[in-house]
Amino acid sequence: MKKIIIVEDNKDVQEAFQLLIETQTSNYEVVNAYGTCEDAINNLEVDLPDIVLMDIDLPGMNGIEGTRNIRQTLPRTDILIISVHENSQYVFDALCAGATGYITKNSNHTQLLRALDEVSAGGAPMSTQIAKLVVKSFRRESESPLTNRETDVLNLLAEGKSYMDIADQISVSKDTVKFHIKNIYLKLQVSNKIEAVTKAKSEGFI
């Protein structure tokens, strides 16, 4: 029987996960549940979990940093992120920190239990949307003609930001933003913002 700890500051969610695991499967035992990473880390050598269910938004140390710390202490422990976030940056930060898988909190009970089984079998479960983000990002890294900064600028353009808004957000001058946009148009062989955003989305660059 695999031992699980839950790191989730919402008591209702914490109890729901525990109830689901304990009543719907005999393969896992929830040995403890914590509201902070600090508490979980302090008890790792007592709990010795095989799997950690980890939220990201936590008081004090966040789940990504908590994942990194747990992996350093117990490198064979699998960490499954369960978060409301579907932002690619959160996903990659979590995976780079050592998370085994990443699913969203809107996943149903069956998907959560399947994810635990996948982790136990040596897999790396991800929600459908998260998997799409990963594939899209790898495609962008391998094929996009844009630099990281140009990609940031184009993403902000796609959100409807003005040149001045973009300049403020990435801490550069308005002229620098214009320079990046000019390069984006040249590289994508387009002549305006709408064409640039449309082509970049269709090609998977943003």
Side-chain angles (χ1 to χ4, degrees):
M1 184 179 289
K2 298 275 189 178
K3 294 192 294 183
I4 293 176
I5 66 170
I6 299 168
V7 187
E8 164 64 62
D9 63 321
N10 184 312
K11 196 71 174 177
D12 291 337
V13 174
Q14 187 185 103
E15 291 175 355
F17 285 157
Q18 184 165 353
L19 182 64
L20 171 67
I21 293 167
E22 292 179 342
T23 60
Q24 298 299 314
T25 177
S26 59
N27 298 326
Y28 309 100
E29 175 192 8
V30 178
V31 296
N32 242 319
Y34 301 99
T36 68
C37 287
E38 288 86 346
D39 287 342
I41 290 167
N42 288 338
N43 290 282
L44 280 178
E45 294 184 3
V46 176
D47 295 332
L48 293 175
D50 297 296
I51 301 172
V52 178
L53 294 186
M54 177 73 77
D55 189 18
I56 287 181
D57 291 325
L58 295 163
M61 183 186 298
N62 68 36
I64 293 171
E65 189 58 34
T67 295
R68 187 174 290 109
N69 275 268
I70 291 171
R71 293 288 288 182
Q72 288 173 350
T73 305
L74 297 176
R76 295 189 177 184
T77 293
D78 289 306
I79 301 171
L80 178 60
I81 300 292
I82 303 183
S83 174
V84 297
H85 294 294
E86 296 184 10
N87 179 286
S88 59
Q89 194 59 53
Y90 281 103
V91 176
F92 280 96
D93 286 348
L95 296 177
C96 288
T100 308
Y102 193 118
I103 65 174
T104 54
K105 283 187 176 177
N106 61 9
S107 300
N108 61 39
H109 294 175
T110 301
Q111 289 169 324
L112 172 56
L113 294 175
R114 187 185 300 127
L116 288 175
D117 289 341
E118 284 186 43
V119 167
S120 297
M126 294 184 195
S127 300
T128 302
Q129 183 59 29
I130 299 303
K132 286 180 179 178
L133 281 176
V134 172
V135 171
K136 184 176 179 181
S137 182
F138 279 129
R139 181 183 176 193
R140 181 171 67 238
E141 288 179 2
S142 62
E143 296 180 4
S144 177
L146 306 178
T147 64
N148 289 338
R149 179 46 60 91
E150 288 165 355
T151 301
D152 290 340
V153 169
L154 191 51
N155 271 310
L156 291 170
L157 269 182
E159 292 174 11
K161 303 289 188 184
S162 68
Y163 287 10
M164 187 55 70
D165 289 338
I166 296 171
D168 290 341
Q169 190 154 338
I170 64 175
S171 302
V172 298
S173 70
K174 187 176 178 181
D175 285 340
T176 299
V177 172
K178 289 180 177 179
F179 174 76
H180 285 312
I181 291 173
K182 178 182 177 182
N183 285 338
I184 290 168
Y185 289 178
L186 286 171
K187 290 180 179 181
L188 297 183
Q189 297 181 333
V190 298
S191 58
N192 58 57
K193 179 182 77 172
I194 293 175
E195 289 179 357
V197 171
T198 301
K199 184 169 184 178
K201 284 184 175 179
S202 68
E203 296 292 332
F205 299 156
I206 61 172

